[in-house]
């Protein structure tokens, strides 16, 4: 059959020999057959298709990607020069083959960059154009090591396609690495202006980032505070924004605002112990920083209403009542602490405090004795009871 083909290269002989090589798995010979026929045929479009077919056999059957690339590059060059005119599908297929193989090989990123640009110029699909330009930017940023060109490409994409989240994120990452904080701030601002329909939690996260930039990179504490305030207004559960704002308010000595922040955290909270602890923190600030004993007292009482076993609230309210010399309320406070819902040591402690209070005033010794007797029933071996 091979001899017949060499003597008479008819289409019938070609097809018969092609079938024979495929059945026998003689892929090298089949490649040479395709290339020989491509050289002999006057049909330039057919010649290009035969060369592309030979390239695909090299890739798929012989696993010779190097030779496949050489053949495809030849087809692409000839098609671009006008050979096979009218067969636009072949040129596009060859271009896609080249892109796929160069992606797999990863040896010539500069050539891949050119091919991606050529396909972006040809494809009518807007989404594909964006994806191809994005891939070009990734090559510039990574293997080609040209960050400024990559930055320009991402910027162009972000401007042309505001919804291209990937390009925007890459832009932010590059500006962060370069330490261009004002540029990063501008990107976050643009993202906020575009994302009016985004979930409130997502916008709160952006504002958290804005606040962090102002606070830690630009040194503008007041702007940071405003950003975190806005974040919490959108998402009261944004814990990082709340923690950052609390730290800043402490540092600035904005105690009134800090009390409001801590008190506001309690609203809607399902964790009553945490809520009580935050109220105690606010109450302490009122007492120690603002000298507002009345508000401190209200906050401690609120904390105890949420968690009657909250020891900081018990001790805090005791301090406030002693400072105000409101002995009647202090006695009620001790009585409340001695109720059955409290832990045994706390109940004994409250009764001993009540006894001390009544005996110290010198006006209710009987009440003091009664309180000690109640404590003794609860814990007979308590050293203060034995005394």
């Amino acid at each position: 059959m091979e001899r017949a083909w060499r003597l008479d290269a008819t289409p019938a002989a070609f097809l018969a020999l092609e079938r024979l090589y495929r059945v026998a798995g003689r892929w090298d010979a089949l490649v040479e057959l395709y290339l020989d026929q491509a050289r002999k045929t006057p049909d330039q479009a057919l010649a290009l298709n035969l060369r592309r077919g030979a390239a695909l056999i090299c890739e798929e059957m012989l696993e010779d990607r190097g030779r496949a690339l050489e053949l495809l590059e030849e087809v692409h060059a000839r098609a671009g020069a006008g050979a096979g005119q009218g067969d636009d599908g072949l040129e596009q297929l060859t271009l896609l083959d080249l892109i796929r193989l160069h992606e797999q090989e990863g040896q010539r990123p500069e050539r891949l960059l050119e091919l991606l640009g050529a396909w972006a110029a040809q494809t009518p699909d807007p989404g594909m154009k964006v994806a191809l330009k994005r891939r070009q930017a990734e090559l510039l940023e990574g293997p080609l090591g040209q960050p400024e060109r990559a930055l320009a490409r991402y910027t162009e994409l972000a401007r042309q396609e505001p919804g291209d989240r990937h390009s925007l994120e890459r832009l932010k990452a590059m500006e962060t690495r370069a330490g261009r904080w004002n540029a990063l701030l501008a990107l976050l601002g643009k993202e906020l202006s575009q994302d009016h329909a985004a979930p409130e939690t997502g916008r709160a996260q952006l504002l958290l980032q804005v606040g962090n930039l102002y606070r830690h990179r630009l040194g503008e504490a007041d702007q940071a505070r405003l950003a975190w305030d806005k974040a919490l207004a959108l998402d009261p559960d944004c814990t990082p924004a709340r923690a950052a704002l609390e730290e800043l308010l402490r540092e600035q000595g904005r105690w009134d605002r800090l009390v409001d922040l801590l008190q506001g955290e309690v609203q809607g909270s399902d964790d009553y112990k945490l809520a009580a602890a935050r109220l105690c923190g606010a109450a302490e600030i009122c007492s120690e920083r603002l000298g507002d004993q009345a508000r401190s007292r209200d906050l401690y009482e609120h904390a105890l209403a949420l968690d009657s076993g909250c020891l900081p609230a018990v001790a805090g309210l005791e301090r406030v009542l002693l400072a105000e010399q409101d002995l009647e309320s202090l006695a009620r406070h001790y009585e409340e602490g001695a109720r059955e819902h409290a832990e045994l040591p706390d109940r004994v402690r409250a009764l001993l405090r009540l006894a001390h209070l009544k005996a110290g005033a010198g006006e209710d010794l009987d009440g003091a004795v009664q309180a000690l007797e109640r404590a003794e029933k609860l814990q007979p071996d308590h050293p203060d009871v034995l005394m």
Side-chain angles (χ1 to χ4, degrees), residues 237-258:
D237 294 327
C238 185
T239 303
R242 186 175 296 279
L245 183 56
E246 181 179 341
E247 180 183 352
L248 179 58
L249 292 173
R250 287 185 186 278
E251 184 178 308
Q252 292 182 328
R254 300 173 67 93
W255 306 116
D256 279 310
R257 178 69 184 86
L258 180 55

Side-chain angles (χ1 to χ4, degrees), residues 347-349 351-353 355 369-387:
R347 294 174 65 190
V348 173
R349 172 186 175 280
L351 288 168
L352 292 174
R353 293 276 186 164
V369 171
Q370 290 173 6
L372 284 172
E373 289 174 346
R374 290 166 62 192
E376 184 180 14
K377 287 181 181 180
L378 291 174
Q379 191 173 355
D381 59 346
H382 193 287
D384 290 336
V385 172
L386 295 175
M387 290 174 63

